[in-house]
Amino acid sequence: MSSSQSNLARFAFNIYGSLTSDNNTPSSPSPTSSFNSIKKVNSGNKLVYHCDRETTALSQLNYPLSISNTEIGSHHAVIGGKNYLHLLCLSSDQHHVVHDINLLDNPYSRVVPKLSSINTIKTHENTIACGLSNGVISIYKLTPSGKSTLSTKLADHKRTINSMDFIHDREDLLLSGSQDGSIKLWDLRSGNKPMLTLQSNNMHSDPIRACQYSPHSSHKLSVLSVHDSGALCKFDLRANTNSYTPDRKWNLHSGPALSLHIHPESEYVATAGRDQKICVFNYSDSNQATGSRATPEHMINTYGPIVKVRWSAYDNNAKNQLYKYDIACSYLNDDSTVTVYNLKRKYIPKHIVNSYSRKAVQNFLWAQNSNRSSTLWCLTKANVFTSYDLDASDGDITRPLEELPKVSMSWNNNFGDLSFVNQYDSDEESIVSEESSEMVEMTRSHTYSGEQEEDIESTDNISRTSLASAPIPSIPFPTSSSLTNSPLDKPPLVRSYTHNPKPTSSSPINTTFTRPRLNRGSSSTTTHDSSISYGSTPFPAPAQPRHKKVQQSTASYISSPYVIPVSLGIPSNDEYVFRTLAMGYVVKIPDGFKLTDVLRMNADVAEDAGVLRVASIWRMLAIAAEELDVTVISPITEETGGDIALSPIPPTMSEKSIASDLNFVGSYNSASTKERVDEKSDGGNESPAELEMLPSSVKPHWHDLDNENLHLMTNVFNSSPTSVGISSNNTYSSMAISASPAASIRPLTASIKPLVPLQLQRNELFLEKKESSTNTLKSGLTMALSEIEQKEDLLPWHLSNLVQQAVGYACTQGDVVFCATVSLLLYDKFPGIISKNECLEWIGSYIDILRRKRMFVQAGNVIKSAPKSIQSTLVQKQQFSTDVNPKFFCCWCNKLLENTSKGYYYCQECKTNQSNCIYCNEPCDGLAVVVSLKCGHRGHFGCLKEWFIEGENIECPTPGCDYTLN
Amino acid sequence: MKPFLTGHEELIHDIKYDFYGKHIATVSSDQHIKVFDLDSTTSSWVLNDSWKAHDSSIVRVSWAHPEFSSSKILASCSFDRTVKIWQEQPDELHGSGRRWTKLATLAIESYAPIYDVVFAPNHLGLKLGCVGSDGIFRIYESLEPSDLSQWALTTEIPILNSSLPAKSLQSSFAIEWCPSKFTTTEKFIVVALDQGFIYGTAPNRNKLDDSGDSPLSQSHEPNKESESKYIKLGNLPEHNGLIRSVSWAPSMGRNYHLIATGCKDGYVRIFKATETPQGDLKIETLAKLSDHKSEVWRVNWNMTGTILSSAGDDGKLRLWKSNYLSEWKCMSVINTSNRSDNRGIEAEPK
């Protein structure tokens, strides 16, 4: 609704130009408005003034006025328009309009002078020059009391005056550029004939959009102009022997160049045009490039065609001349913004000023003022004059840098891999940062349970990578950034590497691996002639393995941001385990097997993969399933023992180990009558000290498993040779048994892994800890669970209970493999344990994850083994098709054929039949491989094979086609 | 995996893995998009191509699901008021700057900077949503499977009832589609300034769809009733600042949805949205986490919706996980001292 209204308003605005829609618009003044008819609306601290006529031109008069014997400031606004020329005398703080003087109003004459619309205004001291759209220049002189007299009218241009400039050091010279393609130089003291006429092209006039006198060319009288042709011309007024050709001419813009402004201090000019670019160009004589080969020093791409570009009035004390002044631009269309750039950050605007009531901007300028603040004056197409202080906080001024995210992150499709970018944005002199040193540090800050937070500072300093800036061999670069910064709050256990403070200048390895800089064409070349090595970082040199050297340009201010991939060392993030499980699990009960067997097979798979906890759960489910089969409850202890005998683990130890896993379940089903389990769960509740008194023979076995496990993982996942330092037995066992909530983050990450001794921790540590934490919470849980227990008839070790608990836990852990496999095996057999939605979700996301990991065979297998009752939904909703149903496109117009499934091979779009097989004249459908001959005739592979090979023909089978194979 | 330089000349604003995790796209304020390929032998990232894509800061990028095209497709959005769709040309050389060609320029109806563009999950077809600072959410759909340069605007929803408040210094918009494939309705969340709205297809209408008409006939319907297709299901309460980011967790068989937001007021919020039988959403706040102590820029769920990552202005990445008591706890903090004071030598061009 609101959008349609605003569209209507925009539409109306486009048609009628200006609407006096604002309620603030004062009543129309009397034609002989005196000094005191002040029309201003002061909204907040900002000057807003509504003009009562159509206005186009805006300028600033820097001339001290004293009206009615009161000194008012010396910076005032002159606004011109159609039959409108007003001087707004501003208070010294520029927040108020003190006087509004109608300069056209002559108290000594009764005739109101007819003035056609003013197109441009330029002031110098007390002289106001107005360029009119009919080609006349009117010069007004102002007295200090604010009275104006028309001093001269200069009429020699044939068309609209687009631009004027005073030649500062000779104040009586005026320069004017017109649509008729000529620049004229006027001496205001003498007559009304131009001293000089310059034309860029004598054949046809190239309209001048803007011209300016260059005050920086010391021994020359240089004048710059931009033209509709996009050219920037430089004239030398003294070498006026040939006034028809410019001294120099450069083509910087592809469309009309609409504006130009010379840098306040040096020989740089900013030009802008309809091609949405601002070019900053060095026009000094030393620049020898001519014609189209000229490339600007800097180029700023903007989001709209630019109509005005202006350097700021005051510098910001930057060292570099180009960075001292901001550049503001306004846009041609209905864009309501003025954008302020600074060249040191040329991609992100420094400020975006939204005009008053979001009307298109007609004109703007950087205003001078007494306190040298950066102030913009804007004149909108709704004839509102507004002053903006860019440093103040103002709802109309946005600073895009603050809105742009500086950090970014993305999860990979492993379960715990992510990449992130973190950048420092500085508005300071040296903008971003050489991001020279970077540290990835992972700190465990909380235990999962949130209780008994032991302050074991198991901070794992995963990686500490330094990006050292290395000098490019060709460019001498005095120093590189020092690398010694480290965070202040460095944790005690961090292995801090002493950095080599400065890499030496010899970096042959780097250059070897440097990718060449991409040339994106001259249009975007800038001074940033960097040779940053894109893409992968160079190989760490063997001599300095911890330093990744990055070539860095000397000219570039902003060293390139980098992406840091992080791999979380959580158990579910183990690619090898995932693959082993996904490939190994039996998802469909084969003929002749029982559910129990399949569950046991899966347990073995899990054990092979090293996830003992999951293996135990599978075994437990197997036992429960067997109980269902036998319907005789046999003692669970025997089952456990017998089951484990299958595994290579000696029974005594394994019983312990598995029992510790069973603790988890035990605590859930704490009302269990099983003595054995109770014992164990009690054991789990015992103090860590007591647990440490367990037979030490248990420990080595765990370590064996561990070593095996870890080596497997490292070998598989890190193609680089890795030295794995397993922590000492004591440390390990104490950690494991006391279930310290140490971070389970395994430093798999890491950039600099190869030579860093990593302290790899057990995967299961994570889980152990969880279990122990649940044990500590037992009292509350027991109560909760026992309530549930009372409601249910089923025994706590009944399969459905166990499955629900196991799946629920796996779901919270994100173990989608387990959830999906259990659903595949049990959903049809035991309805009610797993809801349909859960089953769909788990299997669906499992398939999705398998596809992400490019395990398409397993994905297909899962789809095939999906329970029949949900298979159709799965296929339909996921668009996982079980059978191949190819889409056909018209061979003539490439539109999709819609009815191929019904056997129609007729294109609706171009109304033609598809070409059939040239041999059998049947449509080529289904999975038939279609072979296309060089003559364009097509046919089934089998048909053509029959024709060419078995029939031993060499001609194309099409009658009349004389194509032969050779 | 080593950190790698991107070669961007300005801040990177977004980074995305593709479906298979073998490519990374980065977008930056320097108006370039870069795509990196994973070199599996050295497990390093190699530049695929870099090209100037927009005329202003590029803020978001999104990969299309690979099932829609044989070559990869990207969408990017920028403050230059456009959304552009890009397709890889496998024949062009790597790093030639021509490897990715523009298929379409969208959102030209918008006169405002575009803040977010996201492809819908693949079960909804090839379509994308985008939102700009004009506060209008738009859905574009691909019309021709054979011609991906044809996109049609099918839905336009004004998110903000009134026009933008003039006093807002900054603005922030984001979109997230509901990733769940088996819910009855199609849902997405749009955050605008300090408000978050969840929209969805009307449930009764969608039940008709469930009773078995083909996807083809569905795709024609939105043109007719584009305005009424989506209804507001609920909104996210209690934000005290601009919402910088929103993320919708994969459902993983839960009977509720998890939605996380990162807010300028320094909080990461986790919401639980339960679908009522009437089709509405009951939204409750599960957690308010203020560990960043500064503006939170980005929140993301991992693939199973069990770990939430959040990145804030403090330069730290935090990972959150729910413990057994369903409390969300910080599980680890990843710190980069990227923002060190050590900025090296400033070498000014003459």
Side-chain angles (χ1 to χ4, degrees):
Chain A
M1 203 58 178
S2 64
S3 72
S4 68
Q5 277 173 0
S6 70
N7 282 342
L8 188 64
R10 185 190 293 276
F11 183 61
F13 179 76
N14 289 344
I15 292 178
Y16 300 113
S18 62
L19 294 177
T20 53
S21 58
D22 278 297
N23 299 329
N24 295 334
T25 312
S27 58
S28 69
S30 60
T32 58
S33 67
S34 66
F35 288 158
N36 290 324
S37 72
I38 306 299
K39 306 177 289 285
K40 68 176 172 68
V41 178
N42 201 350
S43 72
N45 212 8
K46 194 164 57 180
L47 175 62
V48 176
Y49 174 85
H50 293 266
C51 307
D52 51 350
R53 295 273 181 83
E54 193 179 316
T55 55
T56 50
L58 174 67
S59 184
Q60 190 177 31
L61 182 78
N62 299 311
Y63 185 64
L65 294 174
S66 63
I67 296 168
S68 314
N69 292 327
T70 48
E71 287 288 327
I72 52 177
S74 56
H75 301 290
H76 309 288
V78 184
I79 298 174
K82 196 168 189 175
N83 286 323
Y84 186 90
L85 183 63
H86 275 233
L87 171 67
L88 304 181
C89 305
L90 305 180
S91 62
S92 50
D93 59 356
Q94 298 195 336
H95 287 155
H96 308 283
V97 177
V98 183
H99 292 285
D100 178 9
I101 304 171
N102 184 355
L103 296 179
L104 297 183
D105 183 35
N106 191 340
Y108 306 111
S109 158
R110 302 212 162 184
V111 185
V112 178
K114 272 291 172 197
L115 201 60
S116 71
S117 58
I118 295 173
N119 197 40
T120 177
I121 299 178
K122 196 78 188 179
T123 63
H124 180 65
E125 296 196 338
N126 66 339
T127 311
I128 301 172
C130 302
L132 309 185
S133 56
N134 60 1
V136 176
I137 301 168
S138 303
I139 310 288
Y140 289 86
K141 291 279 184 186
L142 202 66
T143 64
S145 62
K147 299 206 166 41
S148 69
T149 49
L150 178 65
S151 79
T152 27
K153 278 197 167 187
L154 310 170
D156 198 47
H157 281 295
K158 297 181 189 66
R159 299 189 62 189
T160 309
I161 312 289
N162 279 330
S163 176
M164 290 183 299
D165 194 23
F166 285 97
I167 295 185
H168 290 297
D169 28 17
R170 301 157 192 228
E171 56 191 75
D172 290 329
L173 292 183
L174 176 70
L175 201 65
S176 68
S178 159
Q179 192 80 19
D180 63 9
S182 62
I183 297 175
K184 290 178 197 292
L185 184 69
W186 312 83
D187 188 344
L188 297 183
R189 289 166 301 193
S190 69
N192 46 11
K193 280 291 157 198
M195 286 170 65
L196 195 65
T197 300
L198 306 168
Q199 214 147 8
S200 69
N201 192 334
N202 53 2
M203 299 302 289
H204 61 277
S205 59
D206 190 2
I208 288 161
R209 288 294 179 175
C211 62
Q212 199 182 359
Y213 164 73
S214 157
H216 312 307
S217 311
S218 53
H219 55 281
K220 279 189 171 181
L221 280 174
S222 292
V223 169
L224 296 180
S225 64
V226 287
H227 299 260
D228 263 3
S229 65
L232 168 69
C233 294
K234 178 169 139 184
F235 297 93
D236 188 356
L237 295 187
R238 294 194 305 185
N240 54 5
T241 51
N242 185 0
S243 64
Y244 284 105
T245 47
D247 197 16
R248 303 290 294 277
K249 187 171 178 178
W250 301 280
N251 291 315
L252 296 175
H253 292 274
S254 53
L258 296 179
S259 183
L260 135 165
H261 198 221
I262 292 175
H263 191 272
E265 285 184 13
S266 54
E267 285 189 298
Y268 284 95
V269 63
T271 62
R274 218 159 65 188
D275 59 355
Q276 314 195 349
K277 289 186 189 108
I278 299 173
C279 297
V280 176
F281 185 72
N282 182 353
Y283 64 90
S284 66
D285 290 337
S286 57
N287 190 340
Q288 293 300 324
T290 52
S292 57
R293 279 183 297 148
T295 52
E297 204 92 339
H298 291 279
M299 193 158 65
I300 300 172
N301 287 294
T302 62
Y303 49 82
I306 303 164
V307 73
K308 284 258 182 322
V309 60
R310 294 280 179 267
W311 292 94
S312 64
Y314 298 115
D315 63 66
N316 54 12
N317 298 323
K319 279 184 230 147
N320 188 297
Q321 276 185 330
L322 283 178
Y323 303 164
K324 260 186 184 175
Y325 295 93
D326 299 338
I327 302 176
C329 66
S330 69
Y331 300 99
L332 187 60
N333 298 333
D334 282 340
D335 202 293
S336 64
T337 57
V338 174
T339 317
V340 181
Y341 289 94
N342 192 306
L343 282 178
K344 71 183 175 186
R345 181 151 237 167
K346 60 181 184 172
Y347 292 112
I348 303 178
K350 198 172 167 189
H351 304 280
I352 294 179
V353 178
N354 290 291
S355 69
Y356 184 76
S357 67
R358 304 294 187 267
K359 290 288 193 296
V361 177
Q362 177 76 268
N363 210 329
F364 77 95
L365 58 83
W366 290 92
Q368 298 178 27
N369 46 36
S370 44
N371 49 5
R372 294 175 67 87
S373 66
S374 51
T375 307
L376 271 183
W377 286 358
C378 288
L379 192 62
T380 68
K381 285 188 176 159
N383 307 320
V384 179
F385 168 76
T386 327
S387 164
Y388 299 95
D389 187 354
L390 293 186
D391 300 326
S393 102
D394 183 337
D396 289 333
I397 302 171
T398 55
R399 294 170 182 82
L401 193 57
E402 294 172 7
E403 281 185 42
L404 290 168
K406 285 124 212 151
V407 287
S408 181
M409 124 189 72
S410 173
W411 286 92
N412 198 350
N413 56 18
N414 273 345
F415 293 91
D417 284 354
L418 55 105
S419 281
F420 73 112
V421 180
N422 181 14
Q423 297 149 103
Y424 184 76
D425 74 303
S426 163
D427 255 344
E428 303 307 313
E429 185 82 352
S430 69
I431 315 229
V432 175
S433 72
E434 318 275 316
E435 289 146 338
S436 58
S437 174
E438 164 269 338
M439 196 189 82
V440 181
E441 167 200 342
M442 306 183 83
T443 318
R444 177 198 56 79
S445 61
H446 292 283
T447 56
Y448 288 89
S449 62
E451 289 184 14
Q452 41 162 247
E453 187 161 334
E454 300 174 33
D455 263 335
I456 301 173
E457 270 292 346
S458 67
T459 314
D460 277 56
N461 185 5
I462 295 306
S463 72
R464 201 143 179 238
T465 309
S466 308
L467 297 185
S469 58
I472 307 165
S474 60
I475 305 171
F477 187 54
T479 61
S480 66
S481 52
S482 77
L483 297 162
T484 50
N485 67 318
S486 56
L488 295 173
D489 51 346
K490 189 161 64 175
L493 288 185
V494 163
R495 274 156 292 198
S496 62
Y497 309 113
T498 50
H499 296 287
N500 289 346
K502 193 200 296 182
T504 51
S505 64
S506 64
S507 54
I509 296 148
N510 299 336
T511 47
T512 321
F513 287 95
T514 301
R515 291 173 66 91
R517 179 184 163 80
L518 307 173
N519 268 327
R520 294 193 297 266
S522 63
S523 63
S524 64
T525 51
T526 61
T527 53
H528 293 250
D529 189 14
S530 61
S531 57
I532 293 170
S533 63
Y534 291 156
S536 61
T537 46
F539 253 68
Q544 291 171 314
R546 297 201 234 300
H547 290 290
K548 226 168 299 302
K549 296 212 207 102
V550 170
Q551 299 213 344
Q552 200 168 18
S553 81
T554 51
S556 172
Y557 259 67
I558 300 158
S559 75
S560 172
Y562 49 89
V563 176
I564 305 161
V566 177
S567 187
L568 301 179
I570 53 176
S572 58
N573 187 29
D574 202 319
E575 178 85 17
Y576 167 74
V577 171
F578 180 86
R579 282 187 173 268
T580 317
L581 296 182
M583 292 197 279
Y585 275 159
V586 183
V587 290
K588 191 166 194 150
I589 302 171
D591 288 341
F593 282 79
K594 284 190 291 185
L595 178 63
T596 324
D597 304 327
V598 173
L599 293 175
R600 285 231 168 84
M601 283 150 74
N602 284 345
D604 291 341
V605 170
E607 198 172 275
D608 287 347
V611 278
L612 298 181
R613 192 185 162 280
V614 178
S616 315
I617 291 177
W618 280 117
R619 282 219 170 87
M620 198 169 59
L621 294 182
I623 294 160
E626 196 167 349
E627 284 173 0
L628 280 189
D629 286 347
V630 180
T631 62
V632 173
I633 302 173
S634 54
I636 198 168
T637 48
E638 285 174 21
E639 289 293 336
T640 313
D643 186 24
I644 280 161
L646 295 174
S647 67
I649 308 168
T652 50
M653 292 173 203
S654 61
E655 227 174 87
K656 293 278 185 201
S657 63
I658 284 175
S660 74
D661 277 324
L662 281 175
N663 282 347
F664 161 63
V665 184
S667 66
Y668 275 80
N669 309 322
S670 55
S672 157
T673 52
K674 286 290 162 199
E675 287 180 7
R676 207 46 202 250
V677 174
D678 260 350
E679 261 177 41
K680 290 306 162 196
S681 66
D682 283 343
N685 281 335
E686 281 166 11
S687 68
E690 236 173 305
L691 273 179
E692 272 179 318
M693 290 158 60
L694 281 172
S696 61
S697 60
V698 178
K699 292 172 191 169
H701 173 65
W702 279 97
H703 283 292
D704 285 346
L705 271 183
D706 256 350
N707 282 334
E708 208 175 277
N709 188 6
L710 287 174
H711 282 306
L712 270 176
M713 287 188 305
T714 45
N715 286 340
V716 169
F717 290 113
N718 313 321
S719 51
S720 53
T722 310
S723 69
V724 182
I726 302 290
S727 55
S728 71
N729 281 357
N730 286 334
T731 324
Y732 175 67
S733 56
S734 71
M735 281 171 94
I737 292 176
S738 70
S740 81
S744 61
I745 292 151
R746 185 161 42 79
L748 249 181
T749 349
S751 48
I752 48 162
K753 194 169 355 158
L755 290 184
V756 185
L758 295 177
Q759 183 190 5
L760 295 188
Q761 299 175 355
R762 280 190 62 237
N763 280 351
E764 281 78 17
L765 202 51
F766 180 84
L767 294 174
E768 294 272 344
K769 183 186 54 181
K770 292 277 316 184
E771 285 161 23
S772 72
S773 69
T774 54
N775 279 339
T776 58
L777 295 167
K778 188 186 158 196
S779 58
L781 262 176
T782 316
M783 284 160 58
L785 284 169
S786 55
E787 283 174 22
I788 297 169
E789 202 84 19
Q790 285 161 6
K791 292 179 202 153
E792 294 188 7
D793 299 337
L794 291 173
L795 290 168
W797 58 90
H798 187 268
L799 182 67
S800 63
N801 265 345
L802 293 179
V803 167
Q804 267 170 0
Q805 297 289 355
V807 163
Y809 178 75
C811 181
T812 60
Q813 294 306 307
D815 189 356
V816 69
V817 192
F818 182 80
C819 291
T821 314
V822 168
S823 321
L824 287 169
L825 290 174
L826 297 177
Y827 179 73
D828 265 356
K829 275 201 120 154
F830 300 99
I833 299 181
I834 300 166
S835 75
K836 182 179 178 186
N837 185 43
E838 282 173 337
C839 181
L840 274 174
E841 288 276 358
W842 284 329
I843 296 176
S845 46
Y846 185 41
I847 293 168
D848 205 38
I849 288 167
L850 285 174
R851 292 184 175 199
R852 282 178 181 273
K853 292 176 180 292
R854 304 189 182 200
M855 300 167 73
F856 300 109
V857 177
Q858 280 75 28
N861 197 19
V862 168
I863 295 175
K864 271 200 295 186
S865 354
K868 285 288 171 287
S869 50
I870 65 159
Q871 200 169 29
S872 60
T873 326
L874 194 68
V875 168
Q876 186 197 339
K877 289 283 273 194
Q878 299 258 99
Q879 296 171 358
F880 289 150
S881 41
T882 45
D883 57 341
V884 181
N885 192 11
K887 290 173 180 170
F888 290 93
F889 297 100
C890 174
C891 64
W892 312 110
C893 66
N894 279 331
K895 293 278 191 252
L896 184 71
L897 298 179
E898 290 187 8
N899 291 321
T900 49
S901 56
K902 297 170 194 159
Y904 292 116
Y905 284 84
Y906 180 76
C907 177
Q908 303 284 340
E909 290 290 326
C910 57
K911 314 282 187 210
T912 47
N913 264 320
Q914 302 302 297
S915 62
N916 289 337
C917 172
I918 49 170
Y919 188 71
C920 64
N921 205 27
E922 293 286 322
C924 307
D925 66 342
L927 273 178
V929 178
V930 180
V931 178
S932 185
L933 297 173
K934 277 187 186 156
C935 55
H937 295 119
R938 313 191 304 169
H940 294 121
F941 178 75
C943 295
L944 291 185
K945 185 178 158 202
E946 189 181 328
W947 172 258
F948 284 114
I949 294 173
E950 290 161 22
E952 296 185 346
N953 295 297
I954 56 165
E955 306 89 20
C956 172
T958 316
C961 178
D962 53 358
Y963 170 75
T964 53
L965 293 177
N966 43 11
Chain B
M1 284 291 149
K2 313 173 192 76
F4 62 98
L5 270 189
T6 55
H8 280 294
E9 294 173 18
E10 259 293 352
L11 302 176
I12 294 177
H13 299 308
D14 200 12
I15 161 174
K16 287 274 163 65
Y17 283 96
D18 77 328
F19 183 76
Y20 297 116
K22 302 295 177 201
H23 304 274
I24 287 184
T26 58
V27 295
S28 160
S29 261
D30 69 0
Q31 305 167 2
H32 280 70
I33 303 178
K34 284 171 194 266
V35 175
F36 296 89
D37 298 342
L38 180 66
D39 182 354
S40 50
T41 54
T42 59
S43 76
S44 57
W45 293 92
V46 182
L47 185 71
N48 174 308
D49 205 359
S50 159
W51 70 101
K52 181 174 182 300
H54 286 272
D55 291 325
S56 187
S57 299
I58 311 174
V59 284
R60 290 294 171 102
V61 65
S62 179
W63 292 90
H65 193 275
E67 80 175 28
F68 296 112
S69 167
S70 53
S71 45
K72 291 176 276 297
I73 291 181
L74 276 179
S76 61
C77 73
S78 161
F79 283 2
D80 72 356
R81 292 131 206 244
T82 56
V83 168
K84 289 181 181 173
I85 316 274
W86 306 89
Q87 187 174 34
E88 188 179 25
Q89 306 296 315
D91 298 339
E92 295 285 349
L93 288 174
H94 284 254
S96 62
R98 294 189 302 273
R99 203 169 154 83
W100 291 79
T101 54
K102 187 175 72 183
L103 287 179
T105 304
L106 307 180
I108 43 179
E109 299 89 349
S110 168
Y111 288 96
I114 308 292
Y115 276 77
D116 202 357
V117 60
V118 187
F119 275 108
N122 62 320
H123 63 278
L124 300 178
L126 183 54
K127 62 179 174 182
L128 57 87
C130 65
V131 68
S133 70
D134 56 355
I136 298 176
F137 173 79
R138 295 183 171 85
I139 293 178
Y140 292 87
E141 290 189 37
S142 165
L143 294 178
E144 284 278 339
S146 62
D147 183 5
L148 295 178
S149 61
Q150 301 292 316
W151 293 76
L153 176 65
T154 56
T155 305
E156 233 178 0
I157 305 174
I159 300 299
L160 298 168
N161 302 328
S162 54
S163 60
L164 279 183
K167 286 299 154 207
S168 76
L169 270 171
Q170 305 181 353
S171 45
S172 174
F173 297 87
I175 312 167
E176 183 86 354
W177 294 87
C178 173
S180 173
K181 288 180 173 164
F182 300 101
T183 53
T184 51
T185 57
E186 169 184 336
K187 285 185 282 293
F188 55 88
I189 184 166
V190 185
V191 298
L193 306 179
D194 56 350
Q195 296 164 77
F197 305 104
I198 302 174
Y199 286 85
T201 47
N204 50 0
R205 205 191 72 86
N206 216 293
K207 287 219 174 78
L208 294 177
D209 286 348
D210 274 346
S211 61
D213 46 354
S214 70
L216 266 180
S217 63
Q218 273 180 36
S219 64
H220 296 302
E221 286 173 34
N223 296 326
K224 279 176 266 169
E225 39 180 329
S226 59
E227 288 306 319
S228 61
K229 189 182 176 194
Y230 296 101
I231 55 168
K232 196 188 284 186
L233 297 177
N235 49 359
L236 302 180
E238 64 178 277
H239 288 93
N240 300 320
L242 299 176
I243 305 175
R244 290 299 189 189
S245 173
V246 63
S247 184
W248 195 316
S251 62
M252 265 298 284
R254 283 181 290 262
N255 52 6
Y256 53 88
H257 299 279
L258 283 176
I259 297 166
T261 59
C263 184
K264 191 176 160 62
D265 62 7
Y267 280 94
V268 174
R269 290 180 175 81
I270 301 172
F271 297 96
K272 171 181 173 181
T274 321
E275 287 180 57
T276 60
Q278 293 82 32
D280 291 340
L281 284 176
K282 191 162 89 48
I283 294 167
E284 52 192 303
T285 313
L286 284 186
K288 280 174 72 177
L289 311 162
S290 64
D291 285 22
H292 278 289
K293 308 251 186 318
S294 62
E295 187 167 356
V296 181
W297 280 105
R298 197 54 85 85
V299 286
N300 284 99
W301 292 99
N302 73 344
M303 205 166 46
T304 50
T306 47
I307 301 175
L308 175 72
S309 64
S310 68
D313 233 3
D314 56 353
K316 296 197 171 75
L317 189 70
R318 288 171 200 273
L319 302 176
W320 308 89
K321 200 170 186 314
S322 172
N323 69 2
Y324 186 74
L325 292 176
S326 301
E327 283 170 351
W328 289 84
K329 291 289 179 192
C330 187
M331 146 186 171
S332 80
V333 181
I334 302 172
N335 180 29
T336 59
S337 56
N338 236 357
R339 303 169 178 231
S340 62
D341 295 328
N342 180 3
R343 299 204 201 104
I345 303 301
E346 157 192 343
E348 291 191 354
K350 195 247 150 203

